[in-house]
């Protein structure tokens, strides 16, 4: 009789643990880390393309040194940020990272305006190839950010819904992850003048 009571207790404990969400929460957090790795990889691809793009433009636009310097400095700033998985739990650090990436995007936009002034540069095959790769990389960055935000949403919901919220508060103590947000400048509509 005593063995039967132990067996029933063990079965009850196992069934309650299997529905606690522990494994689900762990899997969701790993998905966030994997999605973050994709974001980092696409940012790295962009950072790797920029020096080549700058060198091609330098040959054509020697007097556009300010714009080229801004791109180089923005890339350097992005490269100097220490990125880790722990950053995903720190809204302030995550915001700094996102701001640095936004500054780099702005500098690249200014570089593309410079390109419009030089028809010969636009006809250069090396430049066209680099420009196409950079445009494709910007699209990849957007896709990676969207996927990351989706996995963050899944993770955040999983640690806040019952019974997973109990498991998290009693065992794991995981914090919400920060999603990507729009850059500050994105709130204002662009002005078009003819």
């Amino acid at each position: 009789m005593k063995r039967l009571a132990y067996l029933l207790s063990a079965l009850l404990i196992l069934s309650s643990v299997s529905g606690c969400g522990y494994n689900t929460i762990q899997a969701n957090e790993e998905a966030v880390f994997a999605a973050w790795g994709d974001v980092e990889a696409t940012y790295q691809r962009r950072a790797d393309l920029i020096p080549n793009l700058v060198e091609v433009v330098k040959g054509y636009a020697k007097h556009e040194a300010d714009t080229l310097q801004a791109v180089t400095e923005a890339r350097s700033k992005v490269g100097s940020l220490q990125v880790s998985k722990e950053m995903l739990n720190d809204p302030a650090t995550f915001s700094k990272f996102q701001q640095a990436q936004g500054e780099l995007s702005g500098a690249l936009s200014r570089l593309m305006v410079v390109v419009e002034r030089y028809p010969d540069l636009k006809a250069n095959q090396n430049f066209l190839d680099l420009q196409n790769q950079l445009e494709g990389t910007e699209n990849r960055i957007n896709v990676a950010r969207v996927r990351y935000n989706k996995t963050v949403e899944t993770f955040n919901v999983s640690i806040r819904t019952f019974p997973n919220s109990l498991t998290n508060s009693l065992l794991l103590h995981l914090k919400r992850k920060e999603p990507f947000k729009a850059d500050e400048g994105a709130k204002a509509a662009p002005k078009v003048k003819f």
Side-chain angles (χ1 to χ4, degrees):
M1 196 56 136
K2 204 174 193 183
R3 284 186 181 191
L4 183 60
Y6 284 134
L7 182 62
L8 288 175
S9 296
L11 286 174
L12 181 63
I13 289 171
L14 283 176
S15 66
S16 67
V17 169
S18 68
C20 72
Y22 183 87
N23 291 333
T24 302
I25 293 171
Q26 296 295 318
N28 289 343
E29 186 176 41
E30 288 303 317
V32 168
F33 294 149
W36 178 248
D38 292 344
V39 170
E40 285 182 313
T42 54
Y43 278 140
Q44 184 62 51
R45 177 179 163 79
R46 177 171 71 174
D48 292 344
L49 287 173
I50 290 171
N52 297 328
L53 189 65
V54 168
E55 287 303 314
V56 170
V57 174
K58 271 185 187 177
Y60 283 89
K62 299 227 183 259
H63 61 282
E64 298 290 352
D66 292 343
T67 302
L68 296 173
Q69 183 69 25
V71 170
T72 304
E73 287 174 2
R75 180 184 180 272
S76 176
K77 185 176 181 181
V78 165
S80 70
L81 288 174
Q82 296 297 321
V83 180
S84 67
K85 291 178 183 175
E86 287 75 32
M87 181 187 77
L88 302 178
N89 294 327
D90 183 3
T93 305
F94 191 82
S95 178
K96 286 179 187 175
F97 176 80
Q98 192 171 349
Q99 181 181 5
Q101 291 295 340
E103 288 174 15
L104 182 56
S105 294
L108 286 172
S109 296
R110 289 191 302 279
L111 181 63
M112 292 303 136
V113 169
V114 168
V115 169
E116 293 298 319
R117 297 182 192 156
Y118 298 93
D120 291 346
L121 177 59
K122 290 193 295 187
N124 179 298
Q125 189 59 46
N126 288 337
F127 176 78
L128 291 175
D129 290 344
L130 286 168
Q131 186 179 23
N132 286 336
Q133 288 182 39
L134 191 59
E135 287 173 1
T137 299
E138 292 297 324
N139 288 336
R140 287 184 186 120
I141 287 170
N142 187 49
V143 168
R145 283 177 166 184
V146 168
R147 288 180 181 161
Y148 170 78
N149 281 352
K150 186 65 180 158
T151 58
V152 165
E153 176 188 9
T154 301
F155 172 78
N156 288 344
V157 167
S158 76
I159 65 170
R160 296 182 68 194
T161 56
F162 186 81
N164 295 2
S165 60
L166 290 176
T167 301
N168 188 46
S169 65
L170 296 174
L171 298 175
L172 299 171
H173 310 288
L174 299 174
K175 296 178 182 173
R176 290 181 72 249
K177 306 295 184 205
E178 284 296 311
F180 272 98
K181 298 175 183 93
D183 293 332
E184 284 299 317
K187 293 178 182 176
K191 295 178 182 173
V192 179
K193 295 181 181 179
F194 292 101

